[in-house]
Structures are given as C-alpha cells and as structure tokens.
Amino acid sequence: MPDSHHQDRSLGREAVVTVDTRRPAGEVDNDIYGHFLESAFFGNIEGGVFDEGSPLSIDEPGHLNGLRADVLELCRELRPGAIRWPGGNFTSPYHWKDGIGPRDERPTRLELAWGELETNRFGTDEFLAWCEAVGADPYLVHSARDVDEAVRWVEYTNSAQETTLTRHRAEYGRAEPWKVRYWGVGNEVYGRWQMGHRTAEEYAADAREHARFMRAVDADIKLIGVGLHRRQDWTQAVLARAGQFLDYISIHLYGASTHLWTGDDYDDVVAQALYFEQELSAYSQLVSDISAKVGLDRPPALTLDEWTMRHLEPADWPQPQPGEDGGIAPREMSEANESTDRLRVNRWSPRTIGDAVFCAGVFHAIHRTAGQPAPVAMANPVNLVNANGLVVARSKGALRSAIYHVWHLYRHHTGRTVLPCEVDGPARSAMVKLGDERDRDGQHITAPMAVMYVDVCATRAGDGSVRLAVVNRHRDETVRLRPVFDGAADATPGRAHVRRLGGDIADLYAVNDLSTPDRIGVRDLGEVEAADGTWVIPPHSVTVLTMGGET
C-alpha cells in the first residue's frame, strides 16, 4: 500500500470494526494495570516515592513518614493493580532484613546491581504501607538465592502466629499480617548480569524448593517464576520441575526509540506494539504447549512484569541528569552517527505521545490474550515513578507524564470482558523493530509486518456498556471509524461518550512538565453523535468510546 504521507488527508479514510457482543472472548484482570518500582534506580524510591525532608512529604509518625504525598495521590488516582518491588536487578543482591526496624539503625550497603548506595530507609514495611495507602496489591520479589531467607520474609509479612519475626513486625508498627499475595521467585536469573545467575535446570530446582517452603508458611500466596521468551529449553526446564508450584511465569519485553539523536522515529515506535503482540502470543502458546507436554493440570498465566519503551542515546554523550521542570537537565552534546552501536538508555527522557500510542497498543495485545490457556494476567511497566515512568517527581512537585493517561483511561474507562472484534482499515507495510533486540554488531533487528493504522479493543463493562478503545497510529491522518455490532447497523449505537488522549497536539515530541503539566492529557468530549454511522478518530491518538450503559 502506498505511504499515506503522499495521500489527501482532508476527509480521512474509513476503518470498519465489527464487534461480536454476544460471545465474549474472555476476561482480563485488573492486574494488567499493575506497576513496578525498583530501589536504587533513577529516582524510583529516593527522590520519587520517598523523599525525607521534603516539604511535600508526609511528616507524621509511622511507616508513611517521608513518603511524598503528591506522588502518593497521583498513584492512588490510577487505582493500580499489583505493584512489583524491590526490583528488577536490585532484587538479586537484596536482603530484606536490612530494610526493617528503626530507620536510623538500618545499614547502608553498597548496592551491587546499579552501583549506588542503598540506605535501606525505605524497606518492606514502608513499601507495604504505601501500597495499602494507594490501594494496590504488593508484589514482592525475592532473589531465590536462599530458601530460608525467602521463607522468613513470608513469615514476617504474612504470618499470624506469634514468632520472633512477627513480634518484631508488631514492634515496628504492624501488629496484623500484611497478607502479601504475590511473590516473585527470582529476577532474570538467566542473565549473567544477575547475582545468582543459573542455568535453567539449576533455577528450576531452586524455584521448586523455594515454592514448597514459602507455601508452607502461607498456602494462599501466588508465585511468579522466571520465564524467558524465545527460549523453549529454559521454559521447558522450569515448567517440568517447578511448574506445578507456579501460578505465573514472567516475560520481559522492551521497545527501543532513537529519537533523541535521530530526531524522529514516531512511526517506528508506535509499530513496535505489533512485536510485543507477536511475542506475547507466541509465549502464551509455548507455555500452554509445554505445560500439557510435562503433565501440568493447567499452564501458569503470564506476567509481563517488565516492559516499556526505552529512549536510547549514544553512550559517549554526557550522562543525562534530571531537569528541575521534569525532563532532562541541559547538557552539551556532539552530533551522533545514526548507525552508532554504542547506546545506553536515557532514564530521564520524558514520555511522548508516541510512547502513549505504543502503550495503548500493548494493552490491546494483552487484551487479545484473554481466553487463551496462558493469558497475560499481570503487567508492570518500568517504571511507575521517574526513570521514564508514569509519574514524574522533582523537588518542586509531581506531574502526570503522557503515558500516565493511558493507564488511567484504560483502568477507569474500559471493561474487563473482552469482546471479539476485527478491523478492516488502512495499513502500511514496514520493517518493524523487534523491540530492543540487537544483532552481534549492535544494530536493531527488524522484520516485515503489516501495520494497521487503526487498532481497536472492544470490552464490556460491569454496567453493560460496550467500550471501544481505538488507537490511530497515523502521525497526521484522521480516520473515520465505523463500528458494526453483531453484523447489523441497527444493533450499533449511534451515540457514544468520547474520551480522547492525543490528536489535539501538533508536536509529536511535546511532553508534560511542571510548567505545562496538562499539555498532553485525556479530553472528555461528552456525548457525541455518529456522523453517517462513523466517529472521527484524529491522528496520533487514543480514544475510548462508551456505548450504552452508564457513562
């Protein structure tokens, strides 16, 4: 198909979405709107969630002392799913006992994952109290290097029996158990960058042992094992030996953006949701097939418990630092070769509308796993606060980044019952980047794909309404969306409550900052009548149409 940049965009092309409201495809869990925090990681905790001495922090006795009140409120607004902590790579060398008890008596350690100092002033009780305050389930991840340490962590947080550890918990301000439901058994132990790196067989044996004895303390906990997409041997070893003890198995996926030095890669960024969908679908099928092969009663569900769009830049540029207004502090940079192979992630680069459109596409991919034997049942983007996250915190305040609004829009305004739908609309053929996967020369790997400009996810909400979440990936062309419910025009509502993110900004690289915190945000357009059975979907936008029910 010819590139749409050379076509008349004045009227917009049409996309027809057919929706079957009678035969649901499956259900999605609220935990697909989960989140991720990592200690000692680019302002996630210290300077983000936790900022002792700041006039914006809570100043009262208890576990919430020192926690940023403005950050807490923004996170509460999301009504988040499960939040993963303390990492990430930080998990592998972490000892949870360092982070309990009176703060002034906790040890400061050399942190081995990111090379920082870990003060341990934010630990288990602070994290669990913070999750309770924002209304989220905590998801604790253990290193899986010491069975007894993992067992005692479950005892400290969950046991109602009177033991030395539970007495300590009470002394430290929590008499009742925290009742932590989600527990990760290790993080990326397949990687040589992890303390505790092991082969699949070694990890499978360790995971089995950890799971057995952690459940001896609390039989109701849900356990997440370490998965690895594109590696059947890893997944087979883990499921064969430990699968009967695991409720979930993880997959980590990262996209890659080069706009910081190439200037513009919007089309490349938004298309990478297709790569995520391919990987999620393939891994779901692989986990299902292996589970049947090794005799499991049911396959574990998937947790996409690390994912984001990485903003890459040349490694020889000056190290980026946080800017006071929410972006990157000014720095002097040399020109970069577009094909440079020495890259790093810029952790302070703010989120753009392209990132938001990409994230919405990933949610659609997650929705389309509903009803499969191994669906994506939890997802946790890297990160919730700072470090390319949803919430940006600086000393003078906090703000919602562009992608914050995607989570808020989908969590609050889409349903949980997924309805089958198909889209017939404009597309382009493109070489799509396979996320941040690179060849031996450091170049990103691509594959040919058909990129639909319009991507639709249909759901039914608890009030009976049908919610159409519509992504228009095109950078500058409006599309007219024609919904058809159950094969009949007379079954299709002619009115919808419309909420929209994007489409009202011309600059694809505009960002929110403390000076203009609402430059990118959801606009509530109220009730809108269809025009000749269609709704206008502007370019680079995410729209939710609520049809019927309460709006």
Side-chain angles (χ1 to χ4, degrees):
M1 180 173 291
D3 191 322
S4 60
H5 288 273
H6 304 293
Q7 298 184 10
D8 180 7
R9 305 176 181 82
S10 59
L11 298 177
R13 290 178 285 177
E14 184 171 292
V16 178
V17 55
T18 56
V19 182
D20 186 345
T21 69
R22 298 162 296 190
R23 287 178 287 274
E27 301 285 328
V28 290
D29 195 285
N30 286 332
D31 282 329
I32 67 171
Y33 306 112
H35 295 284
F36 176 99
L37 291 169
E38 181 154 9
S39 293
F41 188 78
F42 299 91
N44 267 209
I45 303 300
E46 298 200 14
V49 167
F50 182 68
D51 198 358
E52 284 185 297
S54 167
L56 301 174
S57 294
I58 296 169
D59 184 18
E60 59 186 42
H63 297 312
L64 295 180
N65 180 272
L67 291 162
R68 282 280 291 266
D70 53 348
V71 171
L72 190 154
E73 185 55 37
L74 289 179
C75 294
R76 182 189 285 134
E77 286 180 16
L78 290 169
R79 289 171 56 199
I83 300 178
R84 185 176 186 236
W85 177 85
N89 291 350
F90 179 90
T91 295
S92 293
Y94 182 61
H95 295 285
W96 68 269
K97 288 185 179 179
D98 287 347
I100 62 171
R103 286 181 186 167
D104 292 338
E105 297 176 13
R106 299 179 192 177
T108 296
R109 304 285 192 198
L110 178 63
E111 196 284 309
L112 301 179
W114 302 107
E116 302 292 332
L117 289 179
E118 172 53 38
T119 68
N120 286 298
R121 296 182 71 80
F122 181 94
T124 297
D125 291 306
E126 286 80 13
F127 172 67
L128 298 181
W130 185 83
C131 284
E132 191 172 72
V134 301
D137 277 336
Y139 164 14
L140 293 177
V141 189
H142 186 260
S143 67
R145 294 192 296 113
D146 185 321
V147 174
D148 190 63
E149 184 181 56
V151 165
R152 301 309 165 194
W153 203 5
V154 179
E155 178 184 337
Y156 180 82
T157 61
N158 287 15
S159 179
Q161 301 294 316
E162 186 172 341
T163 70
T164 299
L165 283 175
T166 60
R167 284 197 298 271
H168 285 324
R169 185 186 69 213
E171 290 168 8
Y172 303 153
R174 180 73 178 199
E176 297 300 315
W178 287 108
K179 297 181 180 178
V180 177
R181 179 166 49 160
Y182 297 118
W183 293 83
V185 186
N187 174 76
E188 293 184 357
V189 294
Y190 48 76
R192 296 186 181 278
W193 56 89
Q194 297 293 333
M195 179 180 287
H197 162 64
R198 277 154 283 182
T199 65
E201 290 74 16
E202 291 169 334
Y203 170 70
D206 287 343
R208 179 186 180 96
E209 190 80 348
H210 277 72
R212 287 179 59 218
F213 287 98
M214 291 169 75
R215 280 226 174 87
V217 179
D218 186 345
D220 294 329
I221 60 176
K222 302 295 184 182
L223 297 176
I224 297 96
V226 175
L228 180 58
H229 69 116
R230 296 191 174 188
R231 282 284 301 275
Q232 180 171 340
D233 57 338
W234 178 276
T235 305
Q236 180 149 337
V238 171
L239 293 182
R241 294 202 64 176
Q244 69 187 93
F245 297 97
L246 300 177
D247 300 285
Y248 305 85
I249 190 165
S250 68
I251 175 173
H252 293 176
L253 295 172
Y254 287 93
S257 169
T258 62
H259 78 272
L260 290 176
W261 89 91
T262 61
D264 179 20
D265 68 344
Y266 169 86
D267 296 310
D268 188 37
V269 164
V270 299
Q272 288 178 59
L274 277 71
Y275 160 70
F276 274 56
E277 182 149 15
Q278 284 190 353
E279 294 302 309
L280 292 175
S281 179
Y283 200 57
S284 173
Q285 189 61 55
L286 178 65
V287 168
S288 179
D289 290 346
I290 292 175
S291 296
K293 180 180 178 180
V294 300
L296 297 181
D297 293 337
R298 48 87 189 122
L302 305 188
T303 62
L304 179 59
D305 56 11
E306 286 190 27
W307 71 279
T308 194
M309 177 59 63
R310 286 172 166 165
H311 289 187
L312 304 175
E313 67 178 21
D316 57 0
W317 280 5
Q319 282 284 350
Q321 299 297 326
E324 292 184 0
D325 209 28
I328 311 167
R331 53 183 176 156
E332 293 185 5
M333 296 173 292
S334 59
E335 291 188 10
N337 186 322
E338 188 168 336
S339 62
T340 183
D341 59 355
R342 293 188 60 250
L343 301 173
R344 65 163 176 249
V345 182
N346 184 322
R347 308 287 185 182
W348 301 107
S349 179
R351 304 286 89 177
T352 68
I353 192 62
D355 296 322
V357 171
F358 158 78
C359 290
V362 174
F363 277 130
H364 291 197
I366 291 171
H367 276 72
R368 286 190 280 266
T369 70
Q372 296 183 18
V376 178
M378 184 192 296
N380 314 78
V382 180
N383 293 273
L384 175 54
V385 180
N386 288 329
N388 312 132
L390 281 73
V391 175
V392 178
R394 297 292 188 266
S395 62
K396 296 180 180 178
L399 64 108
R400 304 168 183 86
S401 75
I403 64 173
Y404 177 101
H405 298 287
V406 178
W407 268 258
H408 194 280
L409 185 63
Y410 279 66
R411 176 66 178 88
H412 289 267
H413 298 295
T414 64
R416 300 298 171 265
T417 300
V418 179
L419 303 175
C421 69
E422 295 182 1
V423 178
D424 181 5
R428 67 186 176 97
S429 178
M431 297 299 293
V432 175
K433 191 176 290 180
L434 303 186
D436 204 12
E437 299 287 338
R438 308 184 207 183
D439 62 21
R440 292 183 177 180
D441 296 324
Q443 302 302 309
H444 282 105
I445 303 169
T446 61
M449 298 183 195
V451 182
M452 296 289 293
Y453 286 126
V454 175
D455 186 8
V456 180
C457 174
T459 56
R460 189 186 301 282
D463 63 2
S465 63
V466 174
R467 315 291 180 98
L468 299 184
V470 186
V471 170
N472 182 359
R473 294 186 174 109
H474 204 290
R475 63 169 51 227
D476 54 15
E477 182 175 325
T478 295
V479 176
R480 290 176 293 117
L481 183 77
R482 182 180 299 278
V484 179
F485 286 12
D486 304 326
D490 59 4
T492 307
R495 291 173 60 86
H497 193 114
V498 179
R499 295 175 175 88
R500 177 168 293 143
L501 172 65
D504 60 345
I505 54 172
D507 182 0
L508 295 176
Y509 295 93
V511 299
N512 290 342
D513 53 33
L514 288 173
S515 301
T516 52
D518 300 316
R519 179 183 286 123
I520 301 172
V522 173
R523 317 305 182 202
D524 189 335
L525 306 183
E527 292 288 323
V528 178
E529 293 276 357
D532 190 26
T534 67
W535 277 269
V536 172
I537 308 298
H540 55 269
S541 68
V542 183
T543 302
V544 174
L545 306 174
T546 299
M547 298 175 165
E550 300 176 5
T551 60

